[in-house]
Amino acid sequence: MKAAVYYGIEDIRIEEMDKPQINQDEILIKVKACAVCGTDIRIYKYGHFKIPEGDKRILGHEIAGEIAEVGTNVKGYHVGERVVVPPNVGCGHCKMCKQGFNQLCTDYEAFGISWNGGFAEYMKVPAQAVREGNVIKIPESLSFEEAALCEPLSCCYNSYQAVDTKPGESVVIIGAGPIGVLHAMINKIAGATKVMMVDIIDSRLEEVKAIGVADVLINSQTEDLKTRVLEETNGLGADIVITANSVPAIQQLALEIAAVHGRISLFGGMPKGKEFVTLNTNLIHYKELKVVGTTGSSLQHVINSIEIAASDRMDLKPVVTGRFKIDDAKEAFAYAASGAGLKAIIVSEDL
Ligand SMILES: [Zn+2]
Ligand SMILES: [Zn+2]
């Protein structure tokens, strides 16, 4: 089979290799679509602590495909079934796993990080992942491309649950990349009446405009964000602020543009060395703000996201703006890193 193999920082090679062999407790997936995530780009540029130097890895964790082989001990799955494979695999027996928060397992494994992922023609699902329920069937109405996007959507769903957007509320999303768009979509469904999307790249704002998910588009480089948000909210500030980026100053600004009783989702993590951010905590105190963090998603968040994406309430198709084959994996990475379009996705030859 063909695979895009990560050898180390800025070193990805397209290689022919043997199809993975499965044992009686495993499943083999024929990958149909695997989207490129910001995490893939970060690994490509800076490496990852779960990939020791000298190790090779197939990246890609936003995975949709078809079951190609099923181990003889595996019950409930059949060849040909269409599935997604959420990346975070819990141990199954720690406190977080028992509560259903597999993404918070301290002993987690992850496809595309600690295990081989989806930038290949086939991917093995190890027994632990089969047992923990990381192979989830999808309905016929959902294309493989849309299904692959259910993973990033589920991360936004996790954030949405934490801020608990109510009908009639205003939402500011800072960062109009694919993740920002997915936040906008889920908040719209939750009933937000004014979704404001902020970026510094005009072409991105244009893409978002074309999708039609934002009510207000703001380029924060040419316009003062705080002034505009106050204008758009009768001087009250936004009920929900989501920081879909990794800029410390944006976390500071988020507190300023939030309304009284506002909820702030610090969605984007900070890069190493920038994690200490000075915040005006009086804003949290006097405005009774809720500042929440979320990371990744649980299997339940993925299941909810599949339901939404398969319904007529959400159309994920326009989020994909760049399609590539495995041979062009490097181009896909460059496209995703450039910020030019929205989501880059690697699709199989026969999709
Ligand atoms: Zn991702
Ligand atoms: Zn666990």
Side-chain angles (χ1 to χ4, degrees):
M1 70 167 188
K2 209 176 270 179
V5 186
Y6 168 86
Y7 274 78
I9 290 170
E10 298 201 4
D11 185 4
I12 282 187
R13 302 178 203 173
I14 312 304
E15 292 186 338
E16 272 303 330
M17 58 172 68
D18 290 337
K19 209 162 87 174
Q21 299 281 320
I22 61 159
N23 69 28
Q24 68 273 21
D25 299 312
E26 298 176 328
I27 290 176
L28 186 71
I29 304 289
K30 167 115 177 55
V31 180
K32 293 286 190 173
C34 187
V36 182
C37 173
T39 302
D40 296 313
I41 304 297
R42 271 196 297 281
I43 295 172
Y44 183 62
K45 282 189 182 163
Y46 309 110
H48 195 283
F49 73 98
K50 280 200 177 245
I51 311 176
E53 237 183 89
D55 272 23
K56 295 189 275 184
R57 191 79 78 246
I58 299 168
L59 306 182
H61 60 265
E62 300 178 356
I63 309 152
E66 215 171 73
I67 294 180
E69 286 173 36
V70 181
T72 49
N73 288 347
V74 178
K75 302 269 184 292
Y77 294 100
H78 302 95
V79 171
E81 283 174 333
R82 306 164 79 251
V83 296
V84 294
V85 185
N88 302 319
V89 184
C91 70
H93 47 74
C94 73
K95 190 174 174 184
M96 285 298 111
C97 280
K98 280 181 176 156
Q99 290 177 39
F101 302 121
N102 56 288
Q103 81 277 25
L104 298 173
C105 175
T106 47
D107 201 18
Y108 76 100
E109 301 287 351
F111 288 100
I113 297 176
S114 61
W115 289 341
N116 279 338
F119 296 144
E121 283 181 89
Y122 291 89
M123 186 186 85
K124 180 174 87 167
V125 182
Q128 182 185 340
V130 175
R131 189 184 66 230
E132 291 304 312
N134 280 68
V135 181
I136 300 176
K137 293 174 201 173
I138 56 169
E140 281 298 326
S141 59
L142 199 62
S143 71
F144 286 114
E145 287 190 7
E146 293 169 283
L149 295 190
C150 285
E151 195 281 327
L153 178 63
S154 69
C155 300
C156 300
Y157 189 97
N158 188 7
S159 156
Y160 145 69
Q161 274 199 327
V163 294
D164 195 17
T165 308
K166 300 277 198 311
E169 289 193 316
S170 56
V171 179
V172 174
I173 300 159
I174 308 170
I179 283 289
V181 169
L182 295 175
H183 278 296
M185 288 178 163
I186 201 105
N187 277 278
K188 274 269 170 175
I189 287 185
T193 35
K194 190 174 259 188
V195 171
M196 293 163 261
M197 294 204 63
V198 185
D199 209 290
I200 54 172
I201 306 174
D202 271 324
S203 63
R204 272 215 150 143
L205 291 169
E206 285 303 316
E207 301 255 16
V208 172
K209 192 176 183 178
I211 294 176
V213 76
D215 302 292
V216 177
L217 296 163
I218 306 169
N219 184 325
S220 58
Q221 219 153 46
T222 57
E223 211 178 336
D224 183 64
L225 181 59
K226 189 176 171 185
T227 307
R228 181 69 188 276
V229 170
L230 288 174
E231 262 170 34
E232 294 287 346
T233 55
N234 299 321
L236 297 173
D239 298 305
I240 311 285
V241 183
I242 300 165
T243 61
N245 59 64
S246 301
V247 183
I250 294 299
Q251 294 192 337
Q252 296 167 329
L253 191 58
L255 301 184
E256 290 183 33
I257 63 176
V260 171
H261 278 178
R263 285 92 75 204
I264 294 142
S265 164
L266 300 183
F267 186 83
M270 286 298 134
K272 229 182 177 167
K274 286 189 180 173
E275 58 277 71
F276 290 96
V277 182
T278 308
L279 298 177
N280 178 354
T281 59
N282 264 351
L283 293 171
I284 302 174
H285 178 79
Y286 287 110
K287 291 202 279 186
E288 298 196 351
L289 302 177
K290 282 193 180 121
V291 181
V292 302
T294 58
T295 177
S297 60
S298 69
L299 295 181
Q300 188 56 51
H301 293 132
V302 175
I303 290 165
N304 291 132
S305 299
I306 293 167
E307 290 287 340
I308 296 167
S311 76
D312 57 7
R313 299 291 185 91
M314 189 182 282
D315 184 10
L316 289 176
K317 288 186 207 85
V319 182
V320 176
T321 54
R323 281 178 191 79
F324 302 85
K325 304 284 185 214
I326 289 174
D327 282 321
D328 308 316
K330 277 190 225 166
E331 283 80 354
F333 272 54
Y335 178 85
S338 74
L342 292 173
K343 200 72 169 168
I345 198 161
I346 296 178
V347 295
S348 70
E349 301 284 343
D350 60 351
L351 190 72

